[in-house]
Amino acid sequence: MPHHDTFERKLAQARLLRDETGIRRPILVDDLSGTVHRKYGDMPNMTWILDRGGRVVYKANWTNAANVEAFLDRYLAARERRPPGAAQVMYETEQIEFRRTDAEQFQKHLLRNGPRAVEEFAKAKELWTRHAAG
Amino acid sequence: MDLKSYNYAHFDEHIAEGAERGAATAFRDSFRVGERAEDFALLRLNDGARVELSDYWRSKPLVMEFGSFT
């Protein structure tokens, strides 16, 4: 798959991704310079939850569906079903999480995207290894 | 950031340029929990309509997932 060099190509690739993976949620496409993506932090696989008025209630630099679901259940229950007479206040938290990686599955997706994706990712891995070794 | 480095042609070069470190900082420094995030108009893929993020966060929370692949 070639990189995004025109907005039309970006749109076409978004359609392809939608159709190949069967995404049913609304997909909003950013402009070619990634204005919204860069404003929201520029990471590749983020999830943000924005409550009424755009208030940020959750931000994660990796998407974990189970975490998102658990958070929403807890957050909405607390926000909507406040026990009468009980006071509650908000507080904030920042946490570190871990994720499992599946190298085999990842490699399959790279292959689907083309030989250059495989080759360039392998080169990037060498850079990460060299960097980690100092 | 210019168009070419955002829409990079080669993943390994993108990494060699230190793009990841930049993104990690950008994520931390963007809108904070508890703050109001900025509203933007975007193109909705399925019908080509211009929609605003605030159309989605009016009555219930919006879960906004960003996606990218090499």
Side-chain angles (χ1 to χ4, degrees), chain A residues 88-103:
Chain A
Q88 76 176 5
V89 292
M90 289 188 291
Y91 70 95
E92 297 168 9
T93 169
E94 287 190 51
Q95 296 162 230
I96 294 287
E97 303 271 3
F98 292 90
R99 63 186 175 90
R100 292 259 171 88
T101 58
D102 183 340

Side-chain angles (χ1 to χ4, degrees), chain A residues 125-134:
Chain A
K125 252 167 131 177
E126 284 172 28
L127 292 173
W128 287 320
T129 312
R130 225 180 298 155
H131 191 254

Side-chain angles (χ1 to χ4, degrees), chain A residues 106-130:
Chain A
F106 189 81
Q107 203 62 23
K108 247 194 234 166
H109 288 303
L110 283 177
L111 263 173
R112 181 301 144 237
N113 294 341
R116 255 187 45 210
V118 175
E119 187 191 317
E120 292 178 10
F121 198 85
K123 282 193 198 157
K125 252 167 131 177
E126 284 172 28
L127 292 173
W128 287 320
T129 312
R130 225 180 298 155

Side-chain angles (χ1 to χ4, degrees), chain A residues 3 10 22 36 39 43-44 46 49 54 58 62 68 75 81 91 119 122 128:
Chain A
H3 67 287
K10 184 168 177 157
V36 179
K39 273 280 182 179
M43 296 284 287
M46 300 178 284
I49 303 178
Y58 176 103
W62 192 263
V68 169
Y75 175 80
R81 290 192 290 274
Y91 70 95
E119 187 191 317
W128 287 320

Side-chain angles (χ1 to χ4, degrees), chain A residues 15-118:
Chain A
R15 277 189 209 104
L16 193 61
L17 182 71
R18 174 196 63 195
D19 297 342
E20 282 194 17
T21 58
I23 299 170
R24 299 242 182 105
R25 289 166 285 165
I27 296 173
L28 308 180
V29 183
D30 203 353
D31 62 25
L32 195 59
S33 58
T35 302
V36 179
H37 181 209
R38 286 186 291 116
K39 273 280 182 179
Y40 279 79
D42 209 24
M43 296 284 287
N45 298 288
M46 300 178 284
T47 288
W48 290 69
I49 303 178
L50 305 143
D51 201 0
R52 294 184 290 225
R55 186 208 283 268
V56 180
V57 295
Y58 176 103
K59 63 185 265 195
N61 66 10
W62 192 263
T63 294
N64 178 320
N67 266 358
V68 169
E69 187 178 18
F71 171 77
L72 273 178
D73 286 348
R74 216 163 53 230
Y75 175 80
L76 290 174
R79 199 192 67 177
E80 282 160 19
R81 290 192 290 274
R82 187 164 15 153
Q88 76 176 5
V89 292
M90 289 188 291
Y91 70 95
E92 297 168 9
T93 169
E94 287 190 51
Q95 296 162 230
I96 294 287
E97 303 271 3
F98 292 90
R99 63 186 175 90
R100 292 259 171 88
T101 58
D102 183 340
E104 208 174 301
Q105 193 63 21
F106 189 81
Q107 203 62 23
K108 247 194 234 166
H109 288 303
L110 283 177
L111 263 173
R112 181 301 144 237
N113 294 341
R116 255 187 45 210
V118 175

